[in-house]
């Protein structure tokens, strides 16, 4: 085969693989309702941006929103302008971000270790529970995850080969990360660089060249600064207080919205976020002493360790913070998969099947034992949830166990498929199966259980143009589905309010207009006019 034929064949393989991967990311993207609070808040802020026509600033229920920079709202607004105000449109930027991140990791892994590594890196990134969930969530995290992948790759090229092109691309990715999430986009690579530079003296020369590259600084400032300067000029100290201090400094120094946790929080989160591949972390840890002697692995471990320690120290803890270490973890797992023993793969299968079984059995178990849910509101939602038989999907697992050896044999003897032969190939089928079942069965059930009353009441009052406020609840998707703002405050006389009806906190004489599950819409009476 000529070199041009080989290149065309490789291009075709990549194109087919990329399309298959895209199908996995888009599978069931519109099957689940928007989850509150985060998805509802991002989607409603995007909807209000489209209604106002002001694409330089976001509001939530009419009030200035300083939670995140503008980047992801632009992408969601473009998507919603094309596909409409629906779950698919709001989540599409996240799905595409996850897809592109997986492709970038696959290409980088292939350059490092060959085609088998490329295949494994793509599938690990696409099917691991944490990255998979972020790619199906209408927030900024999947987009930031994409930029962290690109930062991780080009930062390594800078320190390993002093690539000028990579320095400029690195500046662009950091700038875009600043527009999507804020200072964390520069904190993580800077922390990694500081530690790597201390431990690897030979890296100091390319690092010095990086920080003295005027073009890279120009790219960074030209891309990231205009919106920040505009936001400060428009909002002044309110922007500093709301965005920089409250949603960045206070998240680190204090517990935001009750999201605190023990110092070992991320030790528990790590294996859950990387199911079904997480058992391979044991192989990676077992090899850390050997890998530490190799520059790339040292770099990957430093990136992971910095993220893990930095956010363990922070008072606000959320599982997806650990995904900022995603590119390092994905490649460490890929390396572990390439060299894992049969015993390790057997253990990986056992833990993965147990994890999937837990996710499929939990809904039925909670329906049978609602007393396990202590929150009255969520207990009422669970008691009104649709009956589920999702556990029947466990019967497909034995079939996968039979198919795995067959698939391995096929890939071993058939050319050119044997290029991608790896011991973990059979497990890939299980990971894709898990991602598909979660997308089409598990996630829609949870969304229907938790969010159906919110959507139902919103649609019931969509044609009513009067204001409905949120009183002692924070369910921003109500405004998104109703396509009208829903301020969070106590209702004025004559106004309607979305409330929790598990324990009524409004006067008995108020009119109850509609009830769905533990939510209701009530109306305050008009003020009585005094007689002359």
């Amino acid at each position: 085969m000529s070199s041009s034929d080989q290149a065309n064949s490789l291009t075709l393989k990549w194109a087919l693989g990329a399309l298959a991967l895209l199908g996995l990311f888009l599978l069931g993207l519109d099957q689940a309702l928007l989850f509150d609070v985060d998805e509802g808040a991002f989607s409603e802020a995007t909807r209000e941006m489209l209604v106002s026509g002001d694409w330089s600033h976001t509001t939530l229920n009419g009030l200035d929103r300083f939670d995140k920079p503008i980047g992801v709202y632009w992408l969601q607004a473009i998507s919603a302008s094309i596909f409409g105000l629906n779950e698919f449109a709001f989540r599409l930027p996240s799905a595409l971000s996850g897809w592109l991140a997986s492709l970038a990791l696959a290409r980088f892994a292939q350059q490092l270790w060959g085609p088998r590594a490329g295949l494994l890196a793509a599938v690990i990134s696409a099917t691991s529970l944490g990255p998979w969930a972020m790619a199906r969530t209408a927030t900024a995290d999947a987009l930031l995850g994409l930029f962290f992948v690109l930062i991780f790759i080009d930062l390594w090229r800078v320190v390993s080969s002093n690539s000028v092109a990579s320095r400029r691309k690195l500046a662009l990715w950091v700038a875009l990360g600043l527009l999507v999430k804020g200072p964390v986009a520069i904190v993580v690579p800077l922390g990694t660089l500081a530690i790597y530079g201390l431990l690897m003296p030979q890296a100091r020369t390319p690092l010095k060249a990086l920080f003295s590259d005027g073009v890279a600084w120009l790219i960074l400032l030209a891309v990231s600064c205009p919106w920040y300067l505009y936001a400060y000029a428009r909002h002044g100290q309110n922007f500093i207080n709301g965005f920089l201090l409250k949603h960045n400094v206070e998240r680190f120094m204090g517990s935001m919205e009750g999201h605190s946790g023990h110092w070992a929080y991320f030790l528990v989160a790590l294996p859950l976020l990387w199911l079904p591949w997480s058992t391979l972390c044991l192989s990676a840890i077992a090899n850390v002493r050997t890998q530490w002697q190799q520059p790339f692995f040292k770099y990957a471990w430093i990136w992971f360790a910095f993220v893990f320690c930095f956010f363990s120290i922070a008072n606000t803890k959320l599982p997806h913070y650990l995904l900022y270490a995603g590119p390092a973890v994905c490649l460490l797992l890929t390396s572990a998969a390439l060299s894992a023993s049969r015993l390790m793969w057997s253990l990986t299968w056992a833990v993965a099947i147990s994890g999937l079984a837990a996710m499929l059995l939990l809904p039925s178990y909670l329906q049978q034992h609602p007393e396990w849910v202590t929150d009255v509101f969520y207990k009422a939602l669970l008691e009104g949830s649709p009956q589920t038989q999702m556990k029947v999907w466990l019967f497909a697992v034995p079939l996968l166990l039979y198919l795995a050896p067959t698939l391995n044999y096929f890939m071993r003897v058939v050319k050119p498929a044997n290029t991608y032969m790896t011991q973990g190939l059979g497990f890939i089928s299980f990971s894709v199966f898990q991602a598909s079942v979660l997308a089409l069965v598990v996630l829609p059930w949870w969304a229907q259980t938790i969010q159906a009353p919110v959507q139902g009441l919103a649609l019931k009052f969509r044609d009513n143009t009067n204001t409905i406020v949120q009183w002692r609840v924070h369910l921003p998707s109500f405004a998104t589905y109703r396509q009208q703002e829903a301020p969070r405050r106590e209702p004025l006389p004559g106004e309607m309010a979305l409330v929790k009806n598990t324990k009524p906190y409004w006067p008995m004489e108020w009119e109850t207009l509609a009830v769905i599950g533990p939510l209701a819409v009530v109306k305050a009476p008009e003020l009585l006019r005094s007689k002359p």
Side-chain angles (χ1 to χ4, degrees), residues 184 187-188 252 305-314:
V184 70
V187 168
V188 172
F252 185 82
F306 178 80
V307 171
F308 187 92
C309 294
F310 182 82
F311 288 102
S312 291
I313 295 170

Side-chain angles (χ1 to χ4, degrees), residues 49-50 57 69 105 130 154 158 184 230-231 247 342 346 352 398 459 489:
M49 175 190 287
L50 288 170
H57 172 62
L105 285 168
D154 278 309
V158 168
V184 70
Y230 168 81
H247 288 286
R342 287 189 176 183
S346 298
L459 296 180
R489 57 174 172 79

Side-chain angles (χ1 to χ4, degrees), residues 4 328 386 442:
S4 60
V442 179

Side-chain angles (χ1 to χ4, degrees), residues 279-280 283 339-350 423:
T279 309
L280 293 172
S283 289
S339 59
S341 64
R342 287 189 176 183
L343 177 61
M344 179 53 64
W345 279 117
S346 298
L347 181 61
T348 302
W349 272 99
Q423 277 190 323

Side-chain angles (χ1 to χ4, degrees), residues 65-70 177-184 227-228 231 236-251:
R65 176 170 168 83
F66 298 124
D67 292 47
K68 299 295 181 292
I70 200 71
L178 288 170
L179 280 177
V180 166
K181 194 82 171 186
V184 70
W227 179 81
Y228 279 92
Q237 191 62 34
N238 288 336
F239 174 70
I240 301 295
N241 294 339
F243 175 69
L244 291 177
L245 297 181
K246 180 179 179 181
H247 288 286
N248 285 276
V249 176
E250 286 186 25
R251 279 186 181 272

Side-chain angles (χ1 to χ4, degrees), residues 42-328:
F42 274 88
S43 300
E44 174 57 16
T46 297
R47 189 195 68 81
E48 291 179 26
M49 175 190 287
L50 288 170
V51 171
S52 69
D54 182 357
W55 284 49
S56 58
H57 172 62
T58 56
T59 60
L60 181 59
N61 292 314
L63 300 178
D64 293 335
R65 176 170 168 83
F66 298 124
D67 292 47
K68 299 295 181 292
I70 200 71
V72 72
Y73 300 105
W74 284 340
L75 295 182
Q76 287 188 345
I78 293 171
S79 179
S81 298
I82 298 171
F83 298 105
L85 297 170
N86 53 62
E87 297 87 357
F88 177 85
F90 290 128
R91 291 174 177 144
L92 182 60
S94 293
L96 295 179
S97 297
W99 176 58
L100 292 174
S102 297
L103 292 179
L105 285 168
R107 186 171 182 270
F108 186 58
Q110 178 169 308
Q111 292 170 346
L112 289 175
W113 304 309
R116 296 175 179 84
L119 174 63
L120 283 168
V123 178
I124 290 173
S125 174
T127 61
S128 294
L129 189 59
W132 172 88
M134 286 300 98
R136 311 187 74 80
T137 305
T139 64
D141 294 292
L143 187 57
L144 177 66
L146 168 62
F147 293 132
F148 269 144
V149 166
L150 299 174
I151 289 170
F152 178 90
I153 292 171
D154 278 309
L155 186 56
W156 168 247
R157 289 171 176 160
V158 168
V159 299
S160 63
S161 62
N162 200 13
S163 167
V164 176
S166 291
R167 292 204 299 259
R168 279 72 186 275
K169 287 190 292 181
L170 175 64
L172 176 61
W173 308 141
V174 171
L176 292 174
L178 288 170
L179 280 177
V180 166
K181 194 82 171 186
V184 70
I186 201 167
V187 168
V188 172
L190 271 181
T192 303
L193 278 183
I195 299 171
Y196 190 80
L198 286 174
L199 298 178
M200 299 288 286
Q202 63 268 36
R204 294 171 191 172
T205 299
L207 290 181
K208 184 178 179 180
L210 170 65
F211 286 105
S212 61
D213 190 324
V215 175
W217 280 107
L218 180 62
I219 293 171
L220 175 66
L221 297 175
V223 173
S224 64
C225 282
W227 179 81
Y228 279 92
L229 293 174
Y230 168 81
Y232 179 72
R234 177 170 177 171
H235 301 288
Q237 191 62 34
N238 288 336
F239 174 70
I240 301 295
N241 294 339
F243 175 69
L244 291 177
L245 297 181
K246 180 179 179 181
H247 288 286
N248 285 276
V249 176
E250 286 186 25
R251 279 186 181 272
F252 185 82
M253 303 297 294
S255 175
M256 289 284 291
E257 300 174 348
H259 297 304
S260 60
H262 191 266
W263 66 267
Y265 180 93
F266 291 116
L267 286 176
V268 177
L270 178 64
L272 297 178
L273 289 172
W274 292 92
L275 279 172
W277 301 90
S278 51
T279 309
L280 293 172
C281 290
L282 298 176
S283 289
I285 293 170
N287 294 326
V288 66
R289 183 173 297 181
T290 302
Q291 291 179 346
W292 192 254
Q293 307 306 316
Q294 303 174 52
F296 172 74
F297 285 111
K298 180 177 288 188
Y299 167 73
W301 278 109
I302 289 172
W303 181 291
F304 166 75
F306 178 80
V307 171
F308 187 92
C309 294
F310 182 82
F311 288 102
S312 291
I313 295 170
N315 284 317
T316 299
K317 291 181 174 65
L318 288 166
H320 66 264
Y321 289 171
L322 197 56
L323 293 178
Y324 301 160

Side-chain angles (χ1 to χ4, degrees), residues 22 37 97 168 198 223 340 359 418 438 482 490 500:
L22 178 60
V37 172
S97 297
R168 279 72 186 275
L198 286 174
V223 173
M359 288 186 278
N418 57 6
L438 292 179
R482 189 168 177 251
E490 188 172 345
K500 294 181 181 179

